[in-house]
């Protein structure tokens, strides 16, 4: 935390705790339902771990998605990442620092090491700066090297605020309904070549987009 002022340090103590309290209050007010939980549960029942992949846009409510075992989440090395790392720690989630744009190789190695200790991984494959809903190659390489399934997951809300950020970040409103949805497991062969990696990236990207659309249709008004 070099070059942080005393004001920065105070904010670092206060902001994550305030964020945690507000988010927990929001979670208490909403009604949650999980669709297709067996798609992840089948691996946990066998003592195996997964790579949960979700869009940066749908990050906010993921700490309240039921899961089993430890979780390590890839968090940006940008300055704001320190606040996020402190916040997710309050939800029992470990942070692995790095991103597809900064410290990518170190982040990949860190996630592989964490996975091999016996834990799940969580990643936003279009974060931390986009482009929106474009899967970066890192998650595919992570799946190749670990042999773990990438299980897409998303959520949608009956009422929400959509921000004008690069990812159109979604904030479910209090007393809304939230539907979580797990996608089909996605495997990447260990011996896949460069062209195969790109094909896998595009296929995973399409599956994640389709899953998001499927979740959003739950709350679309019928004519």
């Amino acid at each position: 935390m070099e070059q942080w002022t005393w004001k920065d340090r105070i904010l670092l103590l206060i902001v994550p705790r305030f964020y945690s309290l507000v988010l927990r209050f929001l979670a208490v007010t909403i009604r949650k339902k999980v669709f297709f939980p067996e798609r992840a549960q089948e691996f946990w029942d066998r003592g195996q771990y997964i790579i949960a992949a979700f869009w940066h846009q749908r990050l906010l409510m993921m700490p309240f998605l039921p899961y089993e075992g430890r979780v390590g989440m890839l968090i940006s090395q940008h300055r704001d990442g320190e606040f996020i790392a402190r916040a997710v720690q309050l939800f029992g989630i470990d942070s692995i620092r790095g991103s597809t744009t900064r410290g990518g190789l170190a982040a990949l190695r860190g996630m592989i090491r964490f996975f091999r200790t016996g834990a799940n991984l969580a990643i936003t494959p279009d974060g931390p700066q986009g482009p929106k809903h474009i899967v970066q190659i890192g998650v595919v390489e992570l799946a190749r090297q670990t042999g773990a399934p990438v299980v897409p997951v998303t959520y949608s809300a009956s009422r929400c605020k959509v921000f004008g950020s690069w990812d159109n970040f979604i904030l479910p409103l209090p007393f809304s309904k939230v539907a979580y949805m797990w996608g089909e497991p996605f495997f990447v062969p260990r011996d896949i070549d460069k062209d195969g990696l790109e094909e896998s990236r595009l296929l995973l990207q399409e599956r994640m987009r389709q899953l998001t659309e499927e979740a959003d249709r739950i709350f679309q008004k019928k004519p």
Side-chain angles (χ1 to χ4, degrees), residues 137 140-141 144 186-204:
I137 197 67
V140 180
E141 182 62 28
R144 186 188 74 82
F186 184 87
F187 289 91
V188 179
R190 181 79 178 185
D191 59 351
I192 198 169
D193 60 17
K194 186 176 180 180
D195 290 339
L197 281 174
E198 175 62 11
E199 291 176 3
S200 293
R201 185 191 71 80
L202 292 173
L203 181 56
L204 176 61

Short mmCIF file of all heavy atoms in Angstrom, two decimals, residues 137 140-141 144 186-204:
data_model
loop_
_atom_site.label_atom_id
_atom_site.label_comp_id
_atom_site.label_asym_id
_atom_site.label_seq_id
_atom_site.Cartn_x
_atom_site.Cartn_y
_atom_site.Cartn_z
N ILE A 137 -9.13 -14.51 -22.91
CA ILE A 137 -8.58 -15.86 -23.08
C ILE A 137 -8.13 -16.48 -21.76
O ILE A 137 -8.02 -17.70 -21.64
CB ILE A 137 -7.40 -15.83 -24.09
CG1 ILE A 137 -7.09 -17.25 -24.61
CG2 ILE A 137 -6.18 -15.18 -23.45
CD1 ILE A 137 -8.18 -17.84 -25.45
N VAL A 140 -10.12 -19.40 -20.23
CA VAL A 140 -10.00 -20.63 -21.01
C VAL A 140 -8.68 -21.31 -20.70
O VAL A 140 -8.62 -22.54 -20.52
CB VAL A 140 -10.12 -20.32 -22.52
CG1 VAL A 140 -9.99 -21.60 -23.33
CG2 VAL A 140 -11.44 -19.63 -22.82
N GLU A 141 -7.62 -20.54 -20.62
CA GLU A 141 -6.30 -21.10 -20.28
C GLU A 141 -6.31 -21.66 -18.85
O GLU A 141 -5.69 -22.69 -18.57
CB GLU A 141 -5.23 -20.02 -20.42
CG GLU A 141 -3.81 -20.49 -20.13
CD GLU A 141 -3.33 -21.58 -21.08
OE1 GLU A 141 -3.80 -21.64 -22.23
OE2 GLU A 141 -2.46 -22.37 -20.66
N ARG A 144 -7.95 -24.97 -18.98
CA ARG A 144 -7.07 -25.95 -19.62
C ARG A 144 -6.03 -26.48 -18.65
O ARG A 144 -5.78 -27.68 -18.56
CB ARG A 144 -6.37 -25.33 -20.83
CG ARG A 144 -5.54 -26.33 -21.63
CD ARG A 144 -4.70 -25.64 -22.69
NE ARG A 144 -3.57 -24.93 -22.12
CZ ARG A 144 -2.41 -25.51 -21.77
NH1 ARG A 144 -2.24 -26.82 -21.95
NH2 ARG A 144 -1.43 -24.79 -21.26
N PHE A 186 -18.50 -26.35 -18.71
CA PHE A 186 -17.74 -26.17 -19.95
C PHE A 186 -16.31 -26.63 -19.69
O PHE A 186 -15.63 -26.10 -18.81
CB PHE A 186 -17.76 -24.69 -20.35
CG PHE A 186 -17.09 -24.39 -21.66
CD1 PHE A 186 -17.78 -24.47 -22.86
CD2 PHE A 186 -15.75 -24.01 -21.69
CE1 PHE A 186 -17.16 -24.17 -24.06
CE2 PHE A 186 -15.12 -23.72 -22.89
CZ PHE A 186 -15.83 -23.81 -24.07
N PHE A 187 -15.85 -27.62 -20.44
CA PHE A 187 -14.51 -28.17 -20.26
C PHE A 187 -13.59 -27.76 -21.40
O PHE A 187 -14.02 -27.61 -22.55
CB PHE A 187 -14.56 -29.70 -20.18
CG PHE A 187 -15.18 -30.23 -18.91
CD1 PHE A 187 -16.54 -30.49 -18.86
CD2 PHE A 187 -14.41 -30.46 -17.79
CE1 PHE A 187 -17.13 -30.98 -17.70
CE2 PHE A 187 -14.98 -30.95 -16.63
CZ PHE A 187 -16.34 -31.20 -16.57
N VAL A 188 -12.32 -27.60 -21.08
CA VAL A 188 -11.29 -27.28 -22.08
C VAL A 188 -10.24 -28.39 -22.04
O VAL A 188 -9.59 -28.58 -21.00
CB VAL A 188 -10.63 -25.91 -21.81
CG1 VAL A 188 -9.56 -25.62 -22.86
CG2 VAL A 188 -11.68 -24.81 -21.79
N PRO A 189 -10.03 -29.13 -23.12
CA PRO A 189 -9.05 -30.22 -23.13
C PRO A 189 -7.63 -29.73 -22.85
O PRO A 189 -7.24 -28.62 -23.25
CB PRO A 189 -9.15 -30.78 -24.56
CG PRO A 189 -10.50 -30.35 -25.03
CD PRO A 189 -10.76 -29.03 -24.40
N ARG A 190 -6.87 -30.54 -22.16
CA ARG A 190 -5.50 -30.18 -21.79
C ARG A 190 -4.61 -29.99 -23.02
O ARG A 190 -3.74 -29.13 -23.04
CB ARG A 190 -4.91 -31.29 -20.91
CG ARG A 190 -3.50 -31.05 -20.43
CD ARG A 190 -3.46 -30.10 -19.27
NE ARG A 190 -2.10 -29.89 -18.78
CZ ARG A 190 -1.80 -29.18 -17.71
NH1 ARG A 190 -2.76 -28.60 -17.01
NH2 ARG A 190 -0.55 -29.02 -17.33
N ASP A 191 -4.82 -30.81 -24.07
CA ASP A 191 -3.94 -30.81 -25.23
C ASP A 191 -4.46 -29.93 -26.37
O ASP A 191 -4.04 -30.07 -27.51
CB ASP A 191 -3.74 -32.23 -25.74
CG ASP A 191 -5.07 -32.90 -26.13
OD1 ASP A 191 -6.14 -32.32 -25.86
OD2 ASP A 191 -5.01 -34.01 -26.70
N ILE A 192 -5.36 -29.01 -26.08
CA ILE A 192 -5.94 -28.16 -27.11
C ILE A 192 -4.88 -27.21 -27.69
O ILE A 192 -3.97 -26.76 -26.97
CB ILE A 192 -7.13 -27.36 -26.53
CG1 ILE A 192 -8.02 -26.81 -27.63
CG2 ILE A 192 -6.64 -26.26 -25.60
CD1 ILE A 192 -9.34 -26.24 -27.10
N ASP A 193 -4.97 -26.92 -29.00
CA ASP A 193 -3.99 -26.02 -29.61
C ASP A 193 -4.50 -24.57 -29.59
O ASP A 193 -5.57 -24.28 -29.05
CB ASP A 193 -3.68 -26.45 -31.05
CG ASP A 193 -4.91 -26.46 -31.95
OD1 ASP A 193 -5.94 -25.85 -31.60
OD2 ASP A 193 -4.85 -27.08 -33.04
N LYS A 194 -3.72 -23.67 -30.16
CA LYS A 194 -4.05 -22.24 -30.12
C LYS A 194 -5.39 -21.94 -30.77
O LYS A 194 -6.19 -21.17 -30.25
CB LYS A 194 -2.94 -21.42 -30.79
CG LYS A 194 -3.11 -19.92 -30.67
CD LYS A 194 -1.94 -19.18 -31.27
CE LYS A 194 -2.12 -17.67 -31.14
NZ LYS A 194 -0.97 -16.93 -31.73
N ASP A 195 -5.64 -22.55 -31.93
CA ASP A 195 -6.92 -22.34 -32.61
C ASP A 195 -8.07 -22.87 -31.78
O ASP A 195 -9.16 -22.27 -31.71
CB ASP A 195 -6.90 -23.01 -33.98
CG ASP A 195 -5.97 -22.30 -34.97
OD1 ASP A 195 -5.67 -21.12 -34.73
OD2 ASP A 195 -5.55 -22.95 -35.96
N GLY A 196 -7.82 -24.00 -31.12
CA GLY A 196 -8.85 -24.59 -30.28
C GLY A 196 -9.17 -23.72 -29.07
O GLY A 196 -10.33 -23.64 -28.65
N LEU A 197 -8.16 -23.06 -28.53
CA LEU A 197 -8.38 -22.15 -27.41
C LEU A 197 -9.30 -21.00 -27.83
O LEU A 197 -10.20 -20.61 -27.08
CB LEU A 197 -7.05 -21.59 -26.90
CG LEU A 197 -6.21 -22.49 -25.99
CD1 LEU A 197 -4.87 -21.84 -25.71
CD2 LEU A 197 -6.94 -22.77 -24.68
N GLU A 198 -9.06 -20.47 -29.02
CA GLU A 198 -9.89 -19.37 -29.50
C GLU A 198 -11.32 -19.85 -29.75
O GLU A 198 -12.29 -19.13 -29.42
CB GLU A 198 -9.29 -18.78 -30.77
CG GLU A 198 -10.13 -17.69 -31.44
CD GLU A 198 -10.36 -16.46 -30.58
OE1 GLU A 198 -9.69 -16.33 -29.52
OE2 GLU A 198 -11.20 -15.63 -30.95
N GLU A 199 -11.47 -21.05 -30.30
CA GLU A 199 -12.81 -21.59 -30.51
C GLU A 199 -13.53 -21.78 -29.18
O GLU A 199 -14.72 -21.49 -29.05
CB GLU A 199 -12.72 -22.92 -31.26
CG GLU A 199 -12.27 -22.78 -32.71
CD GLU A 199 -12.11 -24.12 -33.39
OE1 GLU A 199 -12.39 -25.16 -32.74
OE2 GLU A 199 -11.70 -24.16 -34.56
N SER A 200 -12.79 -22.25 -28.17
CA SER A 200 -13.37 -22.43 -26.84
C SER A 200 -13.77 -21.10 -26.23
O SER A 200 -14.82 -20.98 -25.58
CB SER A 200 -12.38 -23.16 -25.92
OG SER A 200 -12.17 -24.49 -26.35
N ARG A 201 -12.94 -20.09 -26.43
CA ARG A 201 -13.25 -18.76 -25.91
C ARG A 201 -14.56 -18.24 -26.49
O ARG A 201 -15.43 -17.74 -25.76
CB ARG A 201 -12.11 -17.78 -26.23
CG ARG A 201 -12.30 -16.39 -25.63
CD ARG A 201 -11.30 -15.39 -26.19
NE ARG A 201 -11.59 -15.05 -27.58
CZ ARG A 201 -12.53 -14.17 -27.95
NH1 ARG A 201 -13.28 -13.56 -27.04
NH2 ARG A 201 -12.72 -13.91 -29.23
N LEU A 202 -14.71 -18.37 -27.79
CA LEU A 202 -15.92 -17.89 -28.46
C LEU A 202 -17.15 -18.69 -28.03
O LEU A 202 -18.24 -18.13 -27.86
CB LEU A 202 -15.75 -17.96 -29.98
CG LEU A 202 -14.72 -16.99 -30.57
CD1 LEU A 202 -14.51 -17.28 -32.05
CD2 LEU A 202 -15.14 -15.54 -30.37
N LEU A 203 -16.98 -19.99 -27.87
CA LEU A 203 -18.10 -20.83 -27.46
C LEU A 203 -18.54 -20.51 -26.04
O LEU A 203 -19.74 -20.40 -25.76
CB LEU A 203 -17.72 -22.31 -27.58
CG LEU A 203 -18.81 -23.32 -27.20
CD1 LEU A 203 -20.08 -23.09 -28.03
CD2 LEU A 203 -18.30 -24.74 -27.39
N LEU A 204 -17.57 -20.34 -25.13
CA LEU A 204 -17.90 -19.97 -23.75
C LEU A 204 -18.58 -18.61 -23.73
O LEU A 204 -19.57 -18.41 -22.99
CB LEU A 204 -16.63 -19.95 -22.89
CG LEU A 204 -16.82 -19.48 -21.45
CD1 LEU A 204 -17.78 -20.39 -20.69
CD2 LEU A 204 -15.46 -19.42 -20.73
#
